[in-house]
Amino acid sequence: MRLRGRKGIREDIERQKELVVLNAKDYKGKWAELFGNNNPIHAELGMGKGRFISEMSKKYPNINFIGVDMYDELIRKASEKAKVAHEITVETEEDAVLSIPNLRLMLFNIEHIEEAFAEGELERVYLNFSDPWPKKKHARRRLTHPGFVAKYQQILNAKGEIHLKTDSQSLFEFSLNSFADMGLRMRNISLNLHVDGIHPDHVMTEYETKFAGQGMNIHRCEVVIGQEALSTHQEQLKQAAASALAAESKESAE
Ligand SMILES: C[S@@+](CC[C@H](N)C(=O)[O-])C[C@H]1O[C@@H](n2cnc3c(N)ncnc32)[C@H](O)[C@@H]1O
């Protein structure tokens, strides 16, 4: 997605100091301080126009959300969407900088994400409809390339997870292989999310609305990164297996 900067956009986002972070590197290791609490931090990498991150921040006030994108215009659009989602009415120039306590929009290139977050500073990374970069020679630019995933591993904490959604079958295949090659555990894999049945709390992104509306399959998976998340997942699997065995032996006894 390429957008040419429009005069005034930079000034507009610069004015929104409470919501927009232009100097993300300065907050490395200090995001909890910026939010003023130790709630988990979830980041959407490549948020586009920001519908997902706005709605998530409204729905889950006890989680801190950061929407990351590299274009001024998208940060501005996302800030407008956030204010609508949070029902902030902008009456004057000054009001435009009103803060949303659990949301920040960060202008940043994900290629250098480890320069913006310290080790274990995030609890979840959302990759929603990331650019598929279909040409093989561009594989390194895909946000699920092992080079990127290694950076996410570094900045995610013990409960860390990556949640991926995409319409692109080729990106999905590439991503699953990438995660598997890195020895990572995947769960809740869906090749057709909207047919498998979406959870009532499911929040759609702009691209998801468009592609699902066109009848395209939406692929999704969760990747368990942190040790604590992995232990919880393994415990859940053990319990599910034990209940299945118990049900089976009860059935055969009857
Ligand atoms: C296809 S759009 C998806 C937007 C949104 N997540 C959705 O699902 O509607 C991908 C977004 O990722 C952003 N993006 C791609 N590469 C990026 C990078 N290296 N750093 C920051 N943003 C990036 C693009 O600017 C674009 O807004």
Side-chain angles (χ1 to χ4, degrees), residues 106-177:
M106 168 176 149
L107 182 73
F108 204 72
N109 189 332
I110 300 157
E111 280 173 24
H112 310 292
I113 199 70
E114 78 288 0
E115 293 175 20
F117 296 108
E119 236 173 80
E121 204 162 16
L122 297 182
E123 189 159 300
R124 189 172 300 171
V125 160
Y126 286 102
L127 298 173
N128 291 326
F129 300 84
S130 307
D131 297 326
W133 293 105
K135 288 187 185 153
K136 208 172 174 185
K137 66 174 181 185
H138 292 144
R140 282 181 178 279
R141 298 186 190 173
R142 298 176 194 150
L143 294 187
T144 50
H145 185 278
F148 278 102
V149 179
K151 293 185 180 200
Y152 310 149
Q153 278 183 299
Q154 191 183 318
I155 59 179
L156 282 164
N157 67 18
K159 292 183 180 168
E161 295 180 0
I162 300 171
H163 288 200
L164 170 76
K165 275 195 283 192
T166 179
D167 60 299
S168 163
Q169 187 180 329
S170 62
L171 179 68
F172 197 60
E173 281 175 9
F174 174 86
S175 305
L176 296 192
N177 280 311

Side-chain angles (χ1 to χ4, degrees), residues 21-31 33 108 115-116:
V21 176
L22 298 174
N23 50 339
K25 288 185 191 176
D26 293 350
Y27 292 100
K28 181 172 178 170
K30 296 181 190 153
W31 288 95
E33 214 176 290
F108 204 72
E115 293 175 20

